[in-house]
Amino acid sequence: MVNAEPFRSPPAPLAGEGGRGRAAEPPGLPRPLGLLAELTHRCPLGCPYCSNPLALEGRDAELDSATWARVFREAAALGVLQVHLSGGEPAARHDLIEIARAAREAGLYVNLVTSGIGLTGERIRALAEAGVDHVQLSIQDSEADSADRIAGYRGAFRRKTALAAEIVRLGLPLTVNAVVHRANIDRIAAMVELAAALGAGRVEIAHVQYYGWALRNRAALMPTREQVERAAATVAALRARYRRQIVIDSVVPDYHARFPKPCLGGWGRRSLNVTPAGRVLPCHAAEVIPGLEFWSVRDHPLAEIWEHSPAFRAFRGTAWMQEPCARCPRREQDFGGCRCQAFLLTGDAAATDPVCHLSPRHHEIAALAAAQADRPYRYRRMPASAGA
Amino acid sequence: MLETGDRHSLGPEARPRLRRGVRLQHSPAHGGYVLLAPERVFKADAIAAAILARCTGEATLSAIVDDLATLYGAPRERVLGDVSALLAGLAEKKLLEW
Ligand code: SF4
Ligand code: SF4
């Protein structure tokens, strides 16, 4: 009778259980729960592992705050519960506070995903007042020099740690997001220690995923198999040691896994992504797949895009699958893995994600996972004309 | 982070509250209340929502139970059992503390 259940992943939409009082929804059409709002592609840092597309959108193309406010209301009406204000660096928008307030007023849980650069103590206080529920702050390493070298920005590390202290002082819950790759994977313990010392309630050990700029820097970022194995053992030991102090989330890095990561809980099923210019994508990387038609919030209401836009319909459900996914018992669990990765690595977006050991192309992943090259990073930069 | 149920048990004088960053929200799209936390969402049925709305850190468990027993006209024992089970489960998930 008393019940606070996690939203389940199986295909039956929430309506399945009880279903009373719910707005009509076409049978079989799932409801999204999360919205990734990429407010801008502008960012002062140049992280070589950035998953933003190589073709970054400039300031002139960005949606204004009134349009974002409408998108948040439409998203909430569609079922979205959480919004991730992201980018680029969301703080690069001078109207970030207004945008955050609009998201909260729409009833959404507001998660600010930031590098911290561009957020003063005063601004973070205003954001907390505007209704930001949670802050996710990235760090590049546990040591200032290395962290700044990876970020391509002098002094970034010091500013981040100062900001973290201010976030915690305000009582805002903080997650530290540590993106790991060959240059820093051996310092996971020190990064967790730093996150705990900063007062974060949660730390995410996020292994680089190879999209956008990260794909371009893949050989320079790829950890060795030995590093990955050591990292797994380290994380297990840290979880035991910090059990009462900080939650440690970590997943096996893609190229070293046996099964692929589920595509955000299924393509067009649980989440959507709005680009700075307003195009709505099933996932942040989806624009790499040629031939998909994306609609914009400038032209259509969000509900219509969710239901009818060709990009969302392309890989919804399981009917598009090929063997071995089509008859695999895990197909409703991982949805055949990532469509973007399938395309990037096999040239066919409907193929089994080659990360899966059942894929006929899996051996190619193993070869890529073994390819390390110590070459200089190609830092993420806006084209000069984009008006950063 | 330390103040969850495993440090001291949930007694009648405990004052449960949702942890910072955890929020009960009404969602017309989902036809009821949802409990929102970093990276996690839960649906709360009407009774769970009534309980959680009272977990402000001010009311004691005992007061919350009295209040709900009156509201629902249900035996106090049964309400206490339900409330305790829900709160303990949420504390386990680090959504609630006292
Ligand atoms: S297609 Fe791939 S990159 Fe896109 S959401 Fe799915 S898993 Fe992520
Ligand atoms: S074959 Fe397809 S559905 Fe089965 S585990 Fe691999 S990726 Fe997932």
Side-chain angles (χ1 to χ4, degrees):
Chain A
M1 109 187 218
V2 180
N3 187 5
E5 282 292 305
F7 280 84
R8 292 171 210 289
S9 355
L14 295 167
E17 301 140 60
R20 52 211 147 91
R22 296 169 42 91
E25 121 176 337
L29 185 70
R31 276 179 189 282
L33 300 175
L35 167 67
L36 182 68
E38 294 179 332
L39 301 180
T40 179
H41 276 156
R42 290 175 287 143
C43 181
L45 303 190
C47 307
Y49 57 72
C50 181
S51 62
N52 280 160
L54 299 179
L56 295 167
E57 291 164 356
R59 180 206 289 264
D60 294 346
E62 291 174 6
L63 297 178
D64 61 16
S65 55
T67 308
W68 278 114
R70 167 174 65 83
V71 169
F72 297 147
R73 289 191 298 270
E74 291 179 354
L78 191 56
V80 168
L81 299 171
Q82 297 192 319
V83 62
H84 310 281
L85 302 181
S86 173
E89 172 47 58
R93 291 210 44 152
H94 63 85
D95 51 0
L96 177 61
I97 293 163
E98 208 177 314
I99 291 173
R101 185 176 298 116
R104 179 63 186 260
E105 279 170 6
L108 299 174
Y109 187 90
V110 184
N111 179 28
L112 177 66
V113 184
T114 179
S115 72
I117 306 302
L119 283 181
T120 57
E122 194 182 328
R123 248 182 133 198
I124 196 74
R125 264 192 304 283
L127 284 163
E129 277 161 28
V132 166
D133 287 290
H134 174 252
V135 180
Q136 205 168 320
L137 178 71
S138 63
I139 58 165
Q140 278 68 27
D141 205 332
S142 56
E143 293 170 5
D145 281 349
S146 171
D148 290 353
R149 191 183 64 81
I150 294 166
Y153 190 98
R154 274 282 126 216
F157 182 80
R158 201 174 35 78
R159 286 164 70 171
K160 284 163 183 281
T161 48
L163 183 73
E166 185 61 18
I167 292 168
V168 171
R169 208 186 56 74
L170 288 168
L172 272 173
L174 172 68
T175 290
V176 164
N177 198 347
V179 178
V180 299
H181 45 86
R182 190 161 81 255
N184 64 8
I185 191 169
D186 295 323
R187 283 187 291 279
I188 287 179
M191 288 190 271
V192 168
E193 190 182 335
L194 172 65
L198 290 172
R202 185 167 155 267
V203 57
E204 210 175 286
I205 304 297
H207 292 269
V208 166
Q209 301 192 340
Y210 299 101
Y211 304 99
W213 297 80
L215 185 61
R216 185 176 257 207
N217 286 296
R218 182 170 55 197
L221 295 168
M222 185 70 71
T224 64
R225 154 110 8 224
E226 296 69 51
Q227 283 184 310
V228 167
E229 281 165 8
R230 265 202 311 275
T234 303
V235 167
L238 290 167
R239 282 213 174 106
R241 186 155 123 225
Y242 285 95
R243 198 167 59 87
R244 288 172 170 276
Q245 208 181 337
I246 188 166
V247 177
I248 304 174
D249 281 339
S250 169
V251 286
V252 182
D254 239 8
Y255 283 35
H256 294 90
R258 261 167 68 78
F259 289 108
K261 60 183 180 300
C263 163
L264 287 178
W267 182 276
R269 205 166 149 268
R270 282 293 174 250
S271 57
L272 37 79
N273 181 60
V274 178
T275 72
R279 278 191 309 287
V280 189
L281 320 178
C283 90
H284 71 286
E287 283 172 304
V288 300
I289 300 175
L292 284 185
E293 182 187 329
F294 303 103
W295 290 1
S296 168
V297 296
R298 295 186 199 271
D299 308 322
H300 304 270
L302 205 58
E304 194 180 311
I305 299 174
W306 176 254
E307 183 171 358
H308 296 295
S309 78
F312 277 88
R313 299 174 61 141
F315 302 110
R316 198 173 252 151
T318 53
W320 54 271
M321 286 181 175
Q322 310 171 353
E323 292 300 335
C325 296
R327 274 182 296 172
C328 178
R330 285 176 59 95
R331 69 183 179 278
E332 303 269 352
Q333 231 169 301
D334 63 29
F335 304 94
C338 169
R339 293 309 87 222
C340 303
Q341 190 148 270
F343 170 75
L344 288 169
L345 299 176
T346 73
D348 177 2
T352 295
D353 183 339
V355 162
C356 179
H357 72 291
L358 300 171
S359 156
R361 309 276 297 262
H362 183 65
H363 60 279
E364 295 171 32
I365 285 276
L368 289 170
Q372 284 82 22
D374 284 315
R375 56 171 81 113
Y377 294 140
R378 283 184 279 185
Y379 288 101
R380 170 209 201 268
R381 294 286 178 232
M382 303 287 281
S385 60
Chain B
M1 290 302 295
L2 298 172
E3 303 280 294
T4 44
D6 49 275
R7 237 193 44 173
H8 43 238
S9 58
L10 178 62
E13 293 311 307
R15 297 173 196 271
R17 63 171 178 269
L18 292 176
R19 294 177 71 133
R20 189 71 203 250
V22 181
R23 192 148 66 73
L24 188 66
Q25 168 81 39
H26 185 253
S27 165
H30 292 285
Y33 281 87
V34 288
L35 192 60
L36 306 174
E39 307 297 323
R40 294 182 293 173
V41 292
F42 299 84
K43 53 182 166 179
D45 67 16
I47 294 173
I51 297 170
L52 293 175
R54 288 164 173 76
C55 293
T56 57
E58 280 162 26
T60 60
L61 175 66
S62 167
I64 294 172
V65 170
D66 288 342
D67 190 9
L68 292 169
T70 313
L71 183 68
Y72 290 105
R76 199 178 183 286
E77 280 313 287
R78 170 135 173 258
V79 174
L80 177 64
D82 281 349
V83 172
S84 306
L86 179 81
L87 299 190
L90 293 175
E92 186 68 28
K93 296 191 181 83
K94 300 209 183 293
L95 296 167
L96 186 119
E97 60 192 3
W98 54 79

